[in-house]
């Protein structure tokens, strides 16, 4: 069984997924007052694996601050060599406006200590059966973070992470997923991608590589969960990265609503303006949002569906600078 994605939604909620607890913020997108809850980095649905995981051990590395010499965790891990390159990461999440599902269907995690990031997009077609696929996506990302924590430091295997997370995610529903990690010894990124989430790798403002979309037909992506797919279908990639390269990762809410030329233009401006990763993520997310609401926009979704306009959807953007 494969579930297709619906796309007739409107949204305005802004959520940032950090690993530092639940707090709220107010954002105004349509010049009206709208509450935007900022949740824990992998959601808070209490549907998690029973695997042992010391959250305090990795929480230090979700604030994107530099390592400190007096950090007891860093001082106790003598076997880890400082990487030639590191990812400096920022993210943005824009969820659809749905009072019954304020967290939307997307989820993501950023584990800076292991230089690993991931995104997931719960397949909204499950709503017809009364199932919130967003819970599956959040549980999958939660379990991906746990699996990453059990990987050899500096040698995370994204496909193995997906396999472990998939095995321990038991909620009804299904989700696309993309896990990316930096190998600090080889200065390469490794990725495992299932479905229509994905990434672009840019060098000097030009896209030099991108992930491929996996789908059986329009609106029916490969997906993990209560369906016929499993992590064995994941597309694996390994790419060399250089200093000042930029990685743009997103769910289809971004990828369906932004042309490659638009992404390149925004990145070049960000380089000129010396924007931080989080600021660049915000720039991409805002344009994806604008295009999604434009009934006449020429978007990847418009060309694939053979109709004008963008696709209204949850939008997740993760930006990583290689420094």
């Amino acid at each position: 069984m494969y579930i297709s994605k619906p796309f007739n939604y409107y949204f305005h909620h802004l959520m940032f997924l950090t690993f530092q607890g639940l707090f709220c913020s107010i954002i105004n997108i349509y010049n009206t007052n709208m509450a935007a809850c900022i949740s824990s980095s992998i959601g808070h649905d209490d549907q998690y694996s029973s695997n042992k995981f010391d959250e305090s051990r990795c929480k230090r590395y979700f604030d994107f601050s530099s390592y400190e010499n007096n950090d007891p965790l860093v001082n106790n891990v003598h076997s880890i060599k400082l990487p030639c390159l590191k990812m400096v990461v920022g993210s943005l999440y824009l969820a659809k406006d749905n009072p019954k599902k304020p967290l939307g269907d997307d989820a993501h995690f950023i584990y800076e200590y292991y230089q690993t990031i991931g995104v997931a997009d719960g397949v909204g077609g499950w709503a017809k059966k009364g199932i919130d696929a967003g819970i599956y996506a959040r549980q999958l990302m939660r379990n991906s973070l746990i699996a990453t924590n059990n990987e050899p430091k500096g040698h995370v295997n994204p496909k193995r992470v997906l396999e472990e997370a998939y095995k321990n995610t038991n909620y009804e529903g299904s989700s696309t997923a993309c896990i990316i990690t930096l190998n600090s010894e080889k200065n390469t990124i490794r990725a495992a991608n299932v479905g229509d989430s994905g990434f672009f790798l840019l060098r000097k403002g030009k896209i030099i590589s991108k992930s491929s979309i996996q789908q059986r037909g329009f609106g029916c992506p490969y997906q993990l969960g209560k369906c016929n797919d499993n992590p064995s279908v994941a597309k694996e990639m390994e790419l060399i990265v250089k200093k000042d390269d930029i990685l743009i990762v997103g769910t289809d809410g971004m990828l369906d609503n932004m042309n490659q030329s638009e992404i390149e233009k925004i990145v070049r401006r960000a380089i000129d303006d010396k924007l931080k990763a989080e600021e660049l993520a915000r720039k991409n997310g805002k344009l994806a949002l604008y295009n999604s609401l434009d009934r006449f926009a020429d978007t990847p979704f418009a060309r694939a569906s053979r109709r004008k306009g963008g696709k209204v959807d949850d939008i997740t953007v993760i930006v990583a600078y290689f420094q």
Side-chain angles (χ1 to χ4, degrees):
M1 176 182 68
Y2 299 99
I3 303 296
S4 298
K5 293 184 175 182
F7 49 82
N8 55 336
Y9 293 100
Y10 291 93
F11 62 99
H12 57 226
H13 287 290
L14 171 64
M15 297 188 304
F16 293 100
L17 297 180
T18 66
F19 200 61
Q20 306 194 359
L22 178 64
F23 59 102
C24 289
S25 168
I26 302 298
I27 182 168
N28 188 340
I29 294 179
Y30 303 118
N31 295 320
T32 58
N33 292 325
M34 295 173 289
C37 249
I38 305 176
S39 68
S40 117
S41 70
I42 331 293
H44 54 271
D45 291 279
D46 297 326
Q47 301 287 342
Y48 304 141
S49 161
S50 60
N51 288 14
K52 293 182 179 180
F53 178 61
D54 183 1
E55 294 183 359
S56 63
R57 185 172 178 275
C58 75
K59 183 176 180 180
R60 158 73 175 81
Y61 297 95
F62 277 83
D63 60 8
F64 308 135
S65 60
S66 60
Y67 299 129
E68 300 173 5
N69 292 332
N70 61 354
D71 189 319
L73 176 57
V74 175
N75 290 334
N76 288 336
V77 188
H78 299 292
S79 60
I80 300 178
K81 297 179 180 179
L82 290 177
C84 294
L85 292 177
K86 67 176 181 179
M87 291 194 296
V88 178
V89 187
S91 65
L92 174 74
Y93 179 35
L94 296 167
K96 295 188 296 282
D97 176 22
N98 185 346
K100 294 182 179 180
K101 293 177 59 176
L103 297 181
D105 288 324
D106 285 5
H108 70 277
F109 77 91
I110 298 168
Y111 198 170
E112 190 170 357
Y113 180 57
Y114 275 78
Q115 292 287 276
T116 302
I117 56 182
V119 297
D121 180 5
V123 178
W126 285 97
K128 297 177 181 178
K129 299 186 177 184
I131 295 170
D132 182 355
I135 297 177
Y136 183 92
R138 291 188 289 277
Q139 187 183 85
L140 183 68
M141 290 293 95
R142 168 77 177 193
N143 289 329
S144 293
L145 188 147
I146 293 171
T148 299
N149 191 68
N150 294 326
E151 286 285 298
K153 300 176 180 66
H155 299 277
V156 175
N157 184 320
K159 187 172 183 179
R160 189 164 59 211
V161 167
L162 273 183
E163 289 170 345
E164 187 68 16
Y166 170 77
K167 180 176 69 176
N168 291 307
T169 303
N170 301 311
Y171 192 81
E172 290 292 321
S174 61
S175 173
T176 67
C178 183
I179 307 291
I180 304 170
T181 190
L182 173 66
N183 185 308
S184 59
E185 292 185 0
K186 298 168 63 179
N187 279 346
T188 62
I189 55 170
R190 294 184 64 185
N193 188 48
V194 177
D196 54 7
S197 295
F199 65 88
F200 296 99
L201 179 63
L202 297 95
R203 183 168 297 155
K204 297 180 179 180
K206 299 289 287 186
I207 294 173
I208 60 172
S209 188
K210 64 178 183 177
S211 58
S212 57
I213 294 175
Q214 293 178 304
Q215 59 182 5
R216 289 178 170 78
F218 177 71
C220 187
Y222 286 27
Q223 52 201 268
L224 302 178
K226 303 302 180 180
C227 57
N228 294 334
D229 291 331
N230 60 61
S232 67
V233 304
K235 174 70 174 179
E236 295 183 273
M237 298 178 67
E238 185 169 14
L239 302 169
I240 296 173
V241 291
K242 297 182 179 180
K243 185 178 182 297
D244 297 326
D245 283 357
I246 297 176
L247 186 68
I248 309 288
V249 186
T251 55
D252 64 334
M254 183 199 79
L255 300 177
D256 281 343
N257 289 304
M258 294 189 70
N259 294 303
Q260 294 185 35
S261 60
E262 293 175 314
I263 293 174
E264 290 177 333
K265 184 176 181 180
I266 290 177
V267 168
R268 287 195 294 268
R269 287 182 176 176
I271 293 172
D272 292 341
D273 295 340
K274 298 181 180 180
L275 297 184
K276 296 179 180 180
E278 185 174 326
E279 293 172 321
L280 178 53
R282 189 178 302 119
K283 292 283 187 181
N284 279 278
K286 284 183 176 180
L287 182 57
L289 172 62
Y290 180 86
N291 288 344
S292 73
L293 300 173
D294 185 345
R295 294 181 299 164
F296 304 100
D298 179 21
T299 62
F301 175 77
R303 293 189 292 274
S305 63
R306 298 181 180 179
R307 68 180 185 86
K308 294 181 180 180
K311 174 188 177 184
V312 179
D313 200 355
D314 301 313
I315 297 171
T316 297
V317 184
I318 302 178
V319 171
Y321 288 172
F322 294 96
Q323 298 179 352

